[in-house]
Amino acid sequence: MQQFQASMLKLIIETSTNLPSDVRKAVMKARLEEEMGNRSSLALDTIAENIVMAQEEEAPICQDTGMPTFHLHVPVGANQIVMKKQIYAAIEEATKMGKLRPNSVDSLTGVNSGNNLGPGTPVIHFEQWERDDIEVQLILKGGGCENKNIQYALPTELDGLGKAGRDLDGIRKCILHAVYQAQGQGCSAGFIGVGIGGDRTSGYTLAKDQLFRRTDDVNPIPELAKLEEYVMETANQLGVGTMGFGGKVSLLGCKIGVMNRLPASFYVSVAYNCWAFRRLGVVLDASSGEIREWQFQESVEAFDLTKNAGETDSDDTRTVVLQAPISEEQVRDLKVGDVVIINGEMHTGRDAFHKYMIEPEHTSPVDLSGGVIYHCGPVMLKDQQGEWHVKAAGPTTSSREEPYQADIIKKFGLRAVIGKGGMGPKTLKGLQEHGAVYLNAIGGAAQYYARCVKKVNGVDFLEFGIPEAMWHLQVEGFAAIVTMDAHGNSLHADIDNQSLRKLSDFAEKVF
Ligand SMILES: O=C(O)C[C@H](O)C(=O)O
Ligand code: SF4
């Protein structure tokens, strides 16, 4: 097994940087179906460009390289202890190379282990089989879409859909509700794996196992095949759209599995995966550990990046170029729907930053008045001269900062907050009161945005770990859409309301 570790490194790098062919096909199909030139369609163009860039540069598709989860099938007698150690070594190496972000954080102290190793990281499942080769499948599922997983205990009452009973129709309602509640926060359009039955743990495991199915397979259980088809058709009428911008495509795949349950429990568990659905597999020679075959990676036609090029939204889309720091007047002039191009310096700040800064005695190491805060935890590498470089830098889910954001805007005089998925009423009120805007960047487009960073001007709070540190980034041509303005308008609230109304159209019994 001399080659095993090297094969695992290849698998990790390929999974982080090269999207599987069935996922690419689903994104391509979405581009064809979405209305030309609307916001979702433009976001899909950026996503397609990002997928191509990541592959060409062998760089992470998204900066959140997720929880590495390995599923191994091994012949009887294979040494699992050695394999585990070699997977750990490959994970550490891939992290050093900037193919994985250091993503393993001590839950009590908040300390990042720095190498993606620690209690519970990575996740490795072994199973024996009768074959004499080894199969390793890997999924890198990010934290933002993981937060949108949801588990229902039937019977229950659901927003828009009413009572969901202990039957196939109740299951149907839960799945539609799962897509609705994710909105754009898990970087829609997503893929869902559904587990019916089991207990709370095995139900979620079954849901996640469905994500290893090919998106174009047909469920062997006829009722579930029908349900999968129904969900694909119906969920795409909810109007959530790419990144929650509204549109025709809200779901790219739905796979459902079933297992027995206890008489008292009836769970429907839904694992939500963003469009950056990174999962690949390899079949290895059991004596050498060499790769014999790749899974989920047939050749597919290349993305046509010229499609829609130059198209804009309807006539009233404005593009506004802003140089940071930004004035209150410039910000108050912006409206939901405007495209903003930012030049100048922005500062990353996410969970640890907001929690720290909210304390009255804590001040910012740099002047933030008129400033731009970017909810982003990048992948960074230091070169031999000690200079930092951005390897991937897309937005993170902003709603986690909802308890802090308005106060942070006020405290530091911020004028713009960039993130994804939108924020709530407290922030919306804060934008209005203090004169600031919320800008939505395209989630997962980590290469696209990394390209806009011309220089890393510095870093503070590196002790928070690489993703949580405050990076000072010099950007050029950083594009984002105003989705919450200083006049009380929120595209996110509008799309949520509209999709909830649409959801209620599907309350009638179907199965
Ligand atoms: O942690 C991140 O960088 C992003 C996260 O996956 C998210 O979707 O919020
Ligand atoms: S930022 Fe979006 S694309 Fe990236 S892992 Fe999170 S949910 Fe997925």
Side-chain angles (χ1 to χ4, degrees):
M1 287 275 280
Q2 306 96 306
Q3 300 288 321
F4 184 77
Q5 191 173 315
S7 297
M8 289 304 95
L9 182 60
K10 273 190 204 153
L11 175 63
I12 296 163
I13 294 175
E14 200 64 7
T15 308
S16 175
T17 62
N18 195 357
L19 214 56
S21 51
D22 59 338
V23 176
R24 282 172 186 254
K25 272 191 204 153
V27 174
M28 277 182 197
K29 191 163 165 265
R31 288 183 84 205
L32 293 177
E33 281 166 13
E34 197 49 83
E35 238 166 80
M36 276 267 256
N38 72 6
R39 278 180 210 118
S40 280
S41 163
L42 294 173
L44 280 166
D45 290 350
T46 304
I47 285 170
E49 197 177 335
N50 186 73
I51 293 169
V52 173
M53 288 172 78
Q55 183 184 5
E56 283 176 1
E57 280 154 47
E58 212 182 63
I61 295 164
C62 175
Q63 77 290 337
D64 183 359
T65 53
M67 174 65 85
T69 304
F70 293 85
H71 281 197
L72 288 93
H73 280 101
V74 296
V76 177
N79 190 334
Q80 300 182 5
I81 296 169
V82 170
M83 282 191 253
K84 228 184 206 177
K85 280 191 187 146
Q86 296 195 359
I87 289 176
Y88 291 159
I91 285 277
E92 197 165 9
E93 182 64 21
T95 311
K96 267 196 206 133
M97 293 168 74
K99 309 295 180 184
L100 293 179
R101 184 177 70 184
N103 248 4
S104 179
V105 178
D106 185 308
S107 296
L108 298 181
T109 63
V111 173
N112 191 314
S113 71
N115 60 1
N116 267 313
L117 302 177
T121 334
V123 176
I124 307 177
H125 297 293
F126 282 99
E127 203 161 316
Q128 290 188 331
W129 64 2
E130 302 279 2
R131 281 168 52 170
D132 59 8
D133 47 12
I134 299 173
E135 180 188 70
V136 188
Q137 295 186 323
L138 168 63
I139 187 164
L140 299 173
K141 186 176 186 295
C145 60
E146 183 69 8
N147 290 346
K148 299 319 290 185
N149 292 358
I150 186 162
Q151 190 167 55
Y152 303 90
L154 294 178
T156 188
E157 197 73 38
L158 298 171
D159 286 345
L161 293 166
K163 193 184 325 102
R166 292 183 146 199
D167 52 24
L168 200 58
D169 205 63
I171 295 165
R172 171 190 76 87
K173 288 185 176 178
C174 293
I175 302 174
L176 289 183
H177 184 269
V179 178
Y180 155 73
Q181 62 87 40
Q183 291 291 305
Q185 292 173 0
C187 292
S188 56
F191 296 80
I192 52 172
V194 182
I196 304 170
D199 60 18
R200 286 206 185 267
T201 309
S202 64
Y204 261 136
T205 303
L206 180 64
K208 289 196 169 182
D209 285 349
Q210 304 309 304
L211 296 175
F212 284 102
R213 283 173 52 194
R214 289 184 52 99
T215 55
D216 53 5
D217 72 1
V218 176
N219 199 311
I221 302 170
E223 298 97 302
L224 297 187
K226 245 172 89 182
L227 183 57
E228 286 175 2
E229 211 176 297
Y230 166 89
V231 170
M232 284 307 294
E233 206 179 294
T234 314
N236 278 315
Q237 293 172 43
L238 293 177
V240 174
T242 306
M243 296 312 301
F245 289 165
K248 286 189 176 160
V249 185
S250 305
L251 189 64
L252 298 174
C254 170
K255 298 290 153 190
I256 308 172
V258 63
M259 57 169 44
N260 286 6
R261 58 178 177 82
L262 293 169
S265 318
F266 197 136
Y267 297 114
V268 178
S269 312
V270 182
Y272 189 95
N273 206 112
C274 49
W275 67 260
F277 181 18
R278 291 152 286 175
R279 62 110 167 75
L280 289 176
V282 284
V283 178
L284 307 175
D285 182 291
S287 51
S288 67
E290 215 172 317
I291 298 175
R292 276 194 192 155
E293 188 189 311
W294 283 88
Q295 297 173 335
F296 306 111
Q297 233 189 12
E298 305 85 50
S299 66
V300 276
E301 86 189 83
F303 281 106
D304 175 7
L305 295 180
T306 57
K307 180 186 168 282
N308 284 3
E311 294 273 341
T312 52
D313 209 348
S314 53
D315 294 342
D316 49 17
T317 296
R318 266 201 319 170
T319 299
V320 182
V321 180
L322 293 176
Q323 176 75 35
I326 305 167
S327 71
E328 178 169 0
E329 195 189 350
Q330 283 173 308
V331 155
R332 292 213 183 263
D333 181 50
L334 295 171
K335 304 240 158 42
V336 163
D338 289 343
V339 172
V340 169
I341 313 280
I342 297 177
N343 298 322
E345 195 179 42
M346 60 173 66
H347 314 274
T348 67
R350 50 179 292 168
D351 309 69
F353 170 86
H354 284 83
K355 181 173 180 292
Y356 178 87
M357 286 302 179
I358 202 75
E359 300 302 333
E361 70 274 22
H362 292 158
T363 54
S364 170
V366 294
D367 182 9
L368 287 176
S369 54
V372 181
I373 281 287
Y374 183 22
H375 294 158
C376 167
V379 179
M380 303 294 294
L381 276 190
K382 209 185 211 174
D383 66 20
Q384 284 175 339
Q385 285 70 48
E387 228 176 280
W388 285 102
H389 298 276
V390 176
K391 293 288 151 190
T396 190
T397 319
S398 302
S399 57
R400 296 192 306 269
E401 315 319 333
E402 180 64 7
Y404 311 105
Q405 198 67 73
D407 296 329
I408 295 289
I409 289 171
K410 180 175 176 202
K411 179 168 173 182
F412 296 108
L414 295 174
R415 292 285 172 225
V417 172
I418 309 176
K420 56 116 171 159
M423 304 192 73
K426 192 172 166 209
T427 302
L428 191 60
K429 195 156 162 261
L431 297 176
Q432 212 167 353
E433 277 175 15
H434 313 301
V437 278
Y438 176 81
L439 305 171
N440 204 114
I442 312 302
Q447 290 309 313
Y448 181 84
Y449 292 113
R451 191 176 53 178
C452 301
V453 180
K454 299 304 165 193
K455 193 172 181 304
V456 179
N457 290 339
V459 58
D460 282 288
F461 306 118
L462 199 49
E463 62 275 20
F464 292 167
I466 283 180
E468 300 277 357
M470 184 186 198
W471 297 95
H472 311 300
L473 307 176
Q474 192 69 27
V475 304
E476 227 176 82
F478 190 108
I481 301 174
V482 179
T483 52
M484 294 166 68
D485 61 23
H487 311 279
N489 304 306
S490 165
L491 177 71
H492 307 283
D494 293 350
I495 299 287
D496 195 323
N497 288 334
Q498 286 164 21
S499 53
L500 180 61
R501 273 202 302 277
K502 195 73 206 164
L503 186 67
S504 62
D505 288 350
F506 305 113
E508 293 269 292
K509 190 170 163 60
V510 177
F511 292 106

